[in-house]
Structure formats: C-alpha cells, structure tokens
Amino acid sequence: MIVATTSAMRSARRHLLVLFFLTVFLYALGGMSFSRHMISVRGASSQVGDGNLAGDPAYYNRLALKKAAEMRRDGISRFELRPSGQAPAGMASALYLFWQNPLAFVTLNALMHALSAVFLVLILRNFFPAGISLVAALPLAISPYLLPWFSQLNKESLTLLGSLIYLYGLLRVVGNLSDRRFTWLGGVLFAMLGVVALWTVRPYLNQILLPATIVVLGAFAIFNVRGQRNWAVLIAAAIPIVFCLAFLGKGAVSDQTLDKLQRYKENDEDLKATIVQDVPVARRASIGAPATAGSVEQAHQSIGSRTGGKANDPEQVLNRCAESVDVSKWGDASFLPASVNGRLRAMMILRCGMFRELKVATDPATIFSFFDQDRYPSSSVETLGYLPRAAMYGLFAPWADRWGYVLTHQRSTFYTIVPLETFLFYVCLIALFIHVWQQKDGRLVIPLGLAVCVITVYGLTSPFIGALYRYRYPWWMLLLSLGLASAITIVSPLIARRKHKFNGNDILKRSDEPRR
C-alpha cells in the first residue's frame, strides 16, 4: 500500500512537471511571437527585414546565411561552430539547412527557456518540496528578460540552460554517493552535458567553474562526506567533470583576446590602442543611437546635471584605466604564480576595455549604469583587494541609490523591472541565510559557492550594470529562487499557526455564546 502510494505521488509530480514545462514553453513562445509581431507592425527603425533587428541579430544572420550557402554548395564539411567567433551564427547556419525561417529562433529560444525552468525546479527539489520548488521557479519562468530574444539564437538562454544542467548534475552526484546502483553516474553525464553547452557559447565560463568546482566540492567533502566508499565515489565522479571543464575551457574569440592581453610585455602602445579604440559598429546598435561627439557629450552632461555632479570624461576614464594596467605601473604579487598574475592583469584590461562604450553611448540610462569609473587597480594585490567590492556589485547591483532612475531621469524598461527584482532579491537573500542556518544542509555549499564565485568574477570585469546583469543572470536567478523557496518555507508554518490559532479562538468564542 505504501509502495503504491509513493509510486502514485511520483507519477503525479512528473505530470505536474510536464505541465509546468508546457506552460512555460507556450508562455515564452507567445511572448516572443507577440514581441516580434509588434515590432513588425510598428515598423521600428531598428528592423532590417524579415522581422530581424539591426545590430548583432542582423550581423549573426548574415554570417549564418553565408555559412549555410557554403554548406549547401560544398557539403557539411564547411560547417563551423563559431564563424568569425560567433556561436549563434554557427548554430543558426546548421538550422538554416532545414528551416530557414526567423520563427525557428523563437521556437528554439522558447524551448531552451522552458527546459531551464524545469532544471531549476529539479535543482530546488534537492532542498524543498515540489510545490514550493514550482512556485520559487516562477521568477525565472515568467521573467520578461528573455522574451525580446526573437531575432537570433539566444546564447544567454543556452548559457542559462547549460549552467543549470551542470549544477543539477553536481547535486545528483553528491546526493547519491551512498547509492550502490551507480545512479551518481547520471549526475556525471548531466554535468558534462552542461559543460558542453557552456563551451558552445561561453568557454571562458568553464575556466571560472574549474577552480570554483574544485573548491566547493572539496569543502563539501571535508565537512559532509564520511566513509571510504563515499570518498571514492566522489573522487571518481569529480575526475571526469574536472577534466571536461579543463578540456572545454577554450575556443571563443574572448579566450584568444584574453591570451593576447596576457602577452603584452615591454611595449604597451598596442595595449593602450586596444583599450581606447572605438566600440565595433555591430555593437553600437545595442548601446544607443548612432554616436556623434555632440550627442555623446550631451548625454554625459545630462547625467551629470541630474545627479548633481560633473560627469566623467570618457577619454579621461579610458586613459587613466589604460595607464593603470601599463606594464611600467602594474605590480605582480610575489606570492602568486606568473600565470595568476597574468590573468589578473588581463581581467583588469578587459574591465578597462568595457569603458569604451562610454565613448559612443548616447542613452543616459547606459551612461548612468557604469560604476566605479574612478577605481583602477594597478597591481595583483589591489585587484585581489577589489574582489569584495566586485562581489558586492555583482550580487546587489543596481544598488538602492539607482532604483529611482525612472522617477528622477527618464523612462527605462531596465530601471523599471530590475529594481523590483533586486528588492525581491534582497528580501529573499535574508530568508536564504536564515534557511541555511536552520537546515545546515551541506549540499547548499555547491549552488551558493558556485554562484558567488561566478558572479564575483563578472563583478570584477564588468563595470557596466547592463552587461553585468546579462552575464550573472543564470546564477543570480538561482540565488533568487533559492531565497524565495526559503522565504516560503519559513513563512508557511507561521501563517498556518496563525490560521490555526484564529480558528481555535473563533471556536471558543462561539462555544461561549448561549444556545438559542
């Protein structure tokens, strides 16, 4: 009887999860299709035909069409995963062999979004009941952030899906260490599948996850793993995952750029030119209107006047940042290996390079979103000292002093939605701390540790809140969902207790009344 009841409950949960997947898929499909239709009807100036948008989508589309034509002419051997370094174009070229329609992007992006929501539920199920897990996954499921991605294959969606699959695999491993049916092997396969998905679009993320995974698994093992067999299983599972992370940590153009920046030695004239050069034309469409010297200056003056201070000069910011990472001023730490010193300097160079967008940005909201324009770490020690601040920005930006942008400046979709999400994140994070302290579940070190590590690195290299939000999104939404599930877990008994007390008092009150 007990076995039959348990089996029925599991079947009901599976059906509920399938229903959840279909609902999220249809929601995303409808939202993206509606966004595409509205832009087509309005004839937006950013539209370039077939419902595609100008900027990156149009650029990726041209690359995909060219590569698809080559494959039709010369065969599948001409396939290239990253033509001109762009994975969305490579994947789209393969799709165009079978379905050359922009609506294909809508379908695939909606599918990846729905699968991401399902894997988030599966992750939460390691710590919370099914009902709470489904509710806590709703912020990701209904988030409007991914709905405008209807004109290209969205690498953000694939990054999100890969990150969650990877984390689900790790949790499946550590949750089945003592299972003698080798179910932990499934966790290894899921983790490796996540690594492959991340390698497709953002190989450098595997470079970040490699040391982070070693640290969090080590911490989990020291404080939670008991018995030689469990240790052996954990080590046997960790080895292929770590090797997969190490082997699939290279490949994108960004990795080549990082290696090139590490090799700058005595003559840094090329380095300075790399930092202060203009933002590529293909990127400008996502920053604002076509830039002129007058329009950029006007936008900076607008922000300066509304914030009660003087706006930073973009050229001065770039030059001072470039000087801070110049080989003549940069200081390596004697206690760190040369490779680590080189990586720290390269990340600071990337941070400086992001300030280039200040030179072409005409949207005040974009200029307003840059932070720490007066901080330029010039040594490995200073970079390490900046890590706590980078973690704070990565986790909590935009800070509360920026939430009122739409009230004090102008309308902005970003500053309408994100402050509300951030406020919810603050509240949920408090609940998450309380839940961790109450439950003391050692497995929580894995999602929390990985999320903080990845978000800190992004906070270190991305002084622009818009880019930071996009990069941190998978891990930030994970923390938000864990916090929301914790809040529901904490509040639900209190509400039930209060309701029970109220009903009890009501019964006593009615029992004292005289009968009629």
Side-chain angles (χ1 to χ4, degrees), residues 128-459:
F128 305 98
I132 293 179
S133 299
L134 286 170
V135 174
L138 287 179
L140 173 67
I142 66 176
S143 173
Y145 170 66
L146 295 175
L147 296 186
W149 293 94
F150 53 79
S151 192
Q152 66 184 74
L153 278 175
N154 184 15
K155 58 184 177 183
E156 309 303 333
S157 292
L158 189 54
T159 301
L160 171 65
L161 180 59
S163 299
L164 295 177
I165 292 177
Y166 176 73
L167 178 58
Y168 171 72
L170 290 185
L171 290 174
R172 189 179 173 94
V173 167
V174 301
N176 293 279
L177 293 178
S178 58
D179 193 331
R180 297 184 179 276
R181 294 174 298 174
F182 296 95
T183 52
W184 56 271
L185 284 174
V188 174
L189 294 178
F190 273 111
M192 295 174 69
L193 177 61
V195 171
V196 172
L198 293 175
W199 170 78
T200 303
V201 286
R202 289 209 170 105
Y204 68 82
L205 190 51
N206 289 337
Q207 299 179 35
I208 301 173
L209 288 174
L210 176 59
T213 299
I214 294 174
V215 170
V216 297
L217 286 182
F220 170 81
I222 292 173
F223 294 104
N224 297 277
V225 177
R226 300 291 182 269
Q228 291 184 353
R229 185 183 182 281
N230 288 350
W231 272 94
V233 170
L234 182 60
I235 293 173
I239 288 175
I241 294 174
V242 169
F243 270 99
C244 191
L245 286 169
F247 184 72
L248 297 180
K250 294 280 188 179
V253 172
S254 57
D255 300 306
Q256 301 170 13
T257 302
L258 197 61
D259 293 336
K260 179 181 178 182
L261 295 177
Q262 271 191 276
R263 290 193 293 268
Y264 281 118
K265 296 298 182 183
E266 298 301 327
N267 185 358
D268 268 11
E269 290 300 320
D270 291 338
L271 169 61
K272 188 172 182 180
T274 299
I275 292 176
V276 302
Q277 67 181 324
D278 284 339
V279 178
V281 174
R283 290 277 298 120
R284 295 187 184 183
S286 63
I287 298 170
T292 63
S295 61
V296 172
E297 183 179 359
Q298 182 180 3
H300 281 268
Q301 289 177 351
S302 172
I303 287 296
S305 62
R306 291 176 178 175
T307 55
K310 184 179 180 180
N312 292 315
D313 178 25
E315 290 290 348
Q316 186 179 14
V317 171
L318 281 168
N319 287 328
R320 290 179 63 184
C321 200
E323 290 173 0
S324 70
V325 294
D326 189 279
V327 70
S328 63
K329 292 188 177 181
W330 182 265
D332 289 338
S334 58
F335 57 88
L336 293 176
S339 59
V340 176
N341 281 311
R343 284 285 167 175
L344 290 175
R345 178 170 175 251
M347 285 192 290
M348 288 300 95
I349 295 173
L350 290 177
R351 177 176 181 270
C352 292
M354 192 161 287
F355 285 128
R356 290 181 299 169
E357 296 194 2
L358 287 170
K359 294 178 62 178
V360 297
T362 59
D363 179 17
T366 299
I367 300 171
F368 186 74
S369 298
F370 280 88
F371 58 86
D372 278 356
Q373 297 182 39
D374 56 348
R375 292 178 180 267
Y376 316 108
S378 59
S379 68
S380 295
V381 173
E382 289 183 10
T383 302
L384 295 176
Y386 186 72
L387 282 176
R389 188 174 178 86
M392 294 292 289
Y393 267 110
L395 287 168
F396 302 117
W399 290 355
D401 61 341
R402 296 174 184 256
W403 291 357
Y405 178 86
V406 294
L407 300 176
T408 59
H409 291 72
Q410 63 181 18
R411 288 184 297 176
S412 167
T413 303
F414 181 85
Y415 279 107
T416 299
I417 298 174
V418 176
L420 298 176
E421 289 182 342
T422 308
F423 175 75
L424 178 63
F425 179 81
Y426 287 6
V427 175
C428 291
L429 203 61
I430 296 173
L432 180 57
F433 287 145
I434 296 174
H435 180 78
V436 170
W437 179 75
Q438 289 179 339
Q439 299 299 318
K440 296 179 175 60
D441 189 337
R443 294 174 302 165
L444 279 169
V445 72
I446 295 176
L448 298 183
L450 291 180
V452 170
C453 287
V454 174
I455 290 174
T456 298
V457 172
Y458 282 138

